[in-house]
Amino acid sequence: MFTGLSAFPLTPVKQDGIDEVAFIRLVERLVIAGVDSIGVLGSTGNYAYLSRAERARAAQLAVDHAGTVPVIIGISALRTRDILTLAEDAQAAGAHGVLLAPMSYQALSEDEVYGLYETVSAHLSVPLCVYDNPGTTHFTFTDDLHGRIAALPKVASIKIPGVPETPVAAKERVKRLKAVIPPHVTVGVSGDAMAATGLNAGCDAWYSVIGGLFPATALAITRAAQAGEGIQAQRLSDQLRPLWELFSKHGGSLRVVASAAELLRLVDAPCLPLPLKALEDEDRRMLATVLDELTPS
Amino acid sequence: MFTGLSAFPLTPVKQDGIDEVAFIRLVERLVIAGVDSIGVLGSTGNYAYLSRAERARAAQLAVDHAGTVPVIIGISALRTRDILTLAEDAQAAGAHGVLLAPMSYQALSEDEVYGLYETVSAHLSVPLCVYDNPGTTHFTFTDDLHGRIAALPKVASIKIPGVPETPVAAKERVKRLKAVIPPHVTVGVSGDAMAATGLNAGCDAWYSVIGGLFPATALAITRAAQAGEGIQAQRLSDQLRPLWELFSKHGGSLRVVASAAELLRLVDAPCLPLPLKALEDEDRRMLATVLDELTPS
């Protein structure tokens, strides 16, 4: 489950809940495309903005509509108590695995983060993916801490925030991390712009934002890398450079993929929870142009 | 209400709710000491870690036990929808004012933050204090944005994160901010170590963490500054230097004041919501020594 392409769909929202019809549509597109797993309620899935009931509902809908594709469900929250409740909800919905970030309000110490994973992993009956995303959690893992957490029961994968740009440095980075974690724990790259480089450098998985909206495109990159055709994987990724530039310009991928989903009429606008706003005006027109070029009719 | 000493008590928690007896005790100490207002459910009040029901309960208990002291209630949350609900709860509990930080998971744009305050202020019937705390929200206000938000209806104060260290630079900072906001909007300093400097530099209020636990000490500093005895205010603040050093060492004030409340037996240990941990071992012993020196029997 924690290898290949793990596609992270948006959770489109309405004022009074999630947009169930649109969410099911997004999940079903991933199943048809043949992704290796579906990651719901990650950052792209807006987990941090949803109520417990909304998260339980999204988890259930994803499992119900994923067919035989394994579903990984995000259980992150600020408080350990709430994470344990969300873990129970996810498992009750039929999660095949869970994803946990050290979300913070007060900055967390290394000791507090280790204690968090120790407590949660001891309560789980499904495997866990450690979600390392300093851009949103404001917590930076050391490799030593990754090693200690990866040795805990149930820990099966680490979602890393990215890899260095050059192939040699990327390979060195993945090798260094793999040296301190047990061999059964996989490493998955995120930060879509770095995914081809990460897969070519030995990452076992790609935890993918664009995979949640453009699964065929993300699969082509993943399968090329898995077949050892690294140059082709990189070439396909380079074709998406206009998208990577928009991600970079708009402080990450979320607002761009949400706007893309709106422009492609896969979700109703607005699909993001306020105060978050999708791209407007000139930025939105630029995205529409990029989408036109990337998805020839 | 948004002038003088605003004291921010802890919200001590238990696994299944807030520690009501201890919380009431903390609030009543502030009333007896004669603080100018009480700020509940700020960062020190652990708002980010509490459920809606726990926050409503803390708000009600604070108002019920504050006597004639005005109560300012924190309504911050990641999602605009939840903030509006929390504002209704706070007003129903009898809040005299509310406090709102641009809490973030996805980094917020200036436009999104303005939109947030515009929406929330339009729904309020009590005055609002803008809570500028980049250390926990990861959002940095520009003075231009402060000016635009301060011009919105209901906005009555800005809680700034601190002031520069030297008196001249601090005075310049406060003057610059006051120049862009309406005259009826007060400026309150936070970051306890900088409070005397901030008050001496013209801040109208001190939004105070130690005021929540050591109200007489914080009042002595505040009253000295208000009486124009700036040197005395600074001298009293300097006596607390060992405490400021512990704040700095432990990534902020929360874990230190929570540990102090535990050591003084004002709350049961542990009083912080996991994954947050109070000071342990040598750090805790060092705090106990500092407390002994600061509170002679």
Side-chain angles (χ1 to χ4, degrees):
Chain A
M1 167 173 40
F2 296 113
T3 57
L5 179 68
S6 189
F8 281 65
L10 295 159
T11 313
V13 303
K14 300 193 286 194
Q15 179 61 19
D16 57 349
I18 63 173
D19 183 342
E20 299 196 359
V21 173
F23 181 64
I24 292 168
R25 187 186 301 135
L26 292 175
V27 169
E28 288 179 340
R29 290 174 81 242
L30 306 181
V31 176
I32 292 165
V35 302
D36 298 309
S37 66
I38 297 174
V40 299
L41 300 172
S43 296
T44 304
N46 281 327
Y47 79 85
Y49 301 89
L50 304 179
S51 69
R52 177 186 171 187
E54 288 167 336
R55 293 175 70 164
R57 183 69 183 148
Q60 192 63 62
L61 289 172
V63 171
D64 288 350
H65 293 269
T68 57
V69 181
V71 176
I72 304 161
I73 297 175
I75 59 170
S76 309
L78 289 172
R79 188 166 176 184
T80 304
R81 176 188 70 176
D82 298 332
I83 297 167
L84 294 174
T85 304
L86 291 161
E88 283 173 25
D89 290 349
Q91 293 179 156
H96 300 87
V98 294
L99 178 71
L100 177 61
M103 192 187 177
S104 73
Y105 178 73
Q106 299 284 347
L108 297 175
S109 69
E110 192 151 310
D111 181 45
E112 287 169 337
V113 170
Y114 180 78
L116 170 66
Y117 282 95
E118 190 179 34
T119 300
V120 175
S121 64
H123 281 79
L124 287 176
S125 56
V126 297
L128 177 142
C129 177
V130 174
Y131 186 4
D132 176 359
N133 187 3
T136 53
T137 65
H138 306 285
F139 179 79
T140 300
F141 283 87
T142 60
D143 280 0
D144 175 65
L145 180 62
H146 268 313
R148 290 168 61 214
I149 291 174
L152 290 168
K154 297 298 176 190
V155 176
S157 186
I158 305 173
K159 179 182 189 296
I160 61 172
V163 292
E165 206 172 325
T166 68
V168 173
K171 209 162 185 173
E172 191 48 51
R173 167 70 197 116
V174 175
K175 193 176 160 193
R176 211 165 53 239
L177 180 57
K178 289 207 167 191
V180 299
I181 62 176
H184 69 271
V185 175
T186 70
V187 173
V189 66
S190 52
D192 285 354
M194 290 170 276
T197 307
L199 290 168
N200 288 339
C203 286
D204 310 286
W206 174 13
Y207 296 109
S208 175
V209 175
I210 68 153
L213 198 59
F214 305 109
T217 305
L219 272 169
I221 294 170
T222 308
R223 297 298 180 241
Q226 287 175 322
E229 296 169 27
I231 293 170
Q232 167 71 353
Q234 191 60 58
R235 198 182 64 78
L236 291 170
S237 173
D238 289 345
Q239 289 175 356
L240 303 175
R241 197 178 299 273
L243 209 51
W244 310 150
E245 283 165 5
L246 287 173
F247 285 8
S248 175
K249 181 179 173 192
H250 295 286
S253 52
L254 178 65
R255 291 173 185 81
V256 178
V257 292
S259 306
E262 290 174 3
L263 287 166
L264 297 170
R265 300 189 182 279
L266 289 165
V267 302
D268 288 338
C271 76
L272 288 174
L274 284 170
L276 304 184
K277 290 183 185 178
L279 310 193
E280 292 172 340
D281 306 327
E282 183 52 31
D283 290 329
R284 198 174 179 90
R285 282 192 289 276
M286 192 176 297
L287 172 62
T289 305
V290 167
L291 290 178
D292 277 347
E293 287 166 6
L294 293 180
T295 54
S297 53
Chain B
M1 165 171 45
F2 296 112
T3 56
L5 179 68
S6 188
F8 280 66
L10 294 160
T11 314
V13 303
K14 300 193 286 192
Q15 179 60 23
D16 56 348
I18 64 174
D19 183 343
E20 300 195 358
V21 173
F23 181 65
I24 292 168
R25 188 187 302 137
L26 292 175
V27 169
E28 288 179 342
R29 290 174 82 241
L30 306 181
V31 176
I32 293 165
V35 302
D36 298 309
S37 66
I38 298 175
V40 298
L41 299 170
S43 295
T44 304
N46 282 326
Y47 79 83
Y49 301 88
L50 303 180
S51 69
R52 177 185 171 186
E54 287 167 338
R55 292 175 70 164
R57 183 70 183 145
Q60 193 63 62
L61 289 172
V63 172
D64 288 351
H65 293 269
T68 57
V69 181
V71 176
I72 304 161
I73 296 176
I75 60 170
S76 310
L78 290 172
R79 189 165 175 183
T80 304
R81 175 188 70 177
D82 297 333
I83 296 166
L84 294 174
T85 305
L86 290 161
E88 284 173 25
D89 290 350
Q91 292 178 158
H96 300 85
V98 295
L99 178 71
L100 177 61
M103 191 187 178
S104 72
Y105 178 73
Q106 299 285 347
L108 296 175
S109 71
E110 193 151 308
D111 182 45
E112 287 169 337
V113 170
Y114 181 79
L116 170 67
Y117 282 95
E118 190 179 34
T119 300
V120 174
S121 64
H123 280 79
L124 286 175
S125 56
V126 298
L128 176 139
C129 176
V130 174
Y131 185 6
D132 177 359
N133 186 2
T136 54
T137 66
H138 307 284
F139 179 80
T140 300
F141 284 86
T142 59
D143 279 0
D144 175 66
L145 181 62
H146 268 313
R148 291 168 60 214
I149 291 174
L152 290 169
K154 297 298 176 191
V155 176
S157 185
I158 305 173
K159 177 182 188 299
I160 61 172
V163 291
E165 206 171 327
T166 68
V168 174
K171 209 162 187 172
E172 192 48 50
R173 166 70 197 117
V174 176
K175 193 176 160 191
R176 212 166 50 240
L177 180 57
K178 289 205 168 192
V180 298
I181 62 176
H184 70 271
V185 174
T186 69
V187 173
V189 65
S190 53
D192 286 354
M194 292 170 275
T197 309
L199 290 168
N200 287 339
C203 285
D204 311 285
W206 173 13
Y207 296 109
S208 175
V209 175
I210 68 153
L213 198 60
F214 304 110
T217 306
L219 272 168
I221 294 171
T222 307
R223 297 297 179 241
Q226 286 175 323
E229 298 169 27
I231 293 171
Q232 168 71 353
Q234 191 60 58
R235 198 183 63 77
L236 292 171
S237 174
D238 289 347
Q239 288 175 358
L240 303 175
R241 195 177 299 273
L243 208 52
W244 310 150
E245 283 165 6
L246 286 173
F247 285 8
S248 175
K249 181 180 173 190
H250 295 286
S253 53
L254 176 64
R255 291 174 185 82
V256 177
V257 291
S259 305
E262 290 174 2
L263 285 166
L264 297 169
R265 300 189 182 280
L266 288 165
V267 301
D268 287 338
C271 76
L272 287 174
L274 284 171
L276 304 183
K277 290 182 185 179
L279 274 47
E280 293 174 338
D281 307 327
E282 184 52 32
D283 290 328
R284 199 172 179 93
R285 281 191 290 275
M286 191 176 297
L287 172 63
T289 305
V290 167
L291 291 178
D292 276 350
E293 286 166 6
L294 293 179
T295 54
S297 53

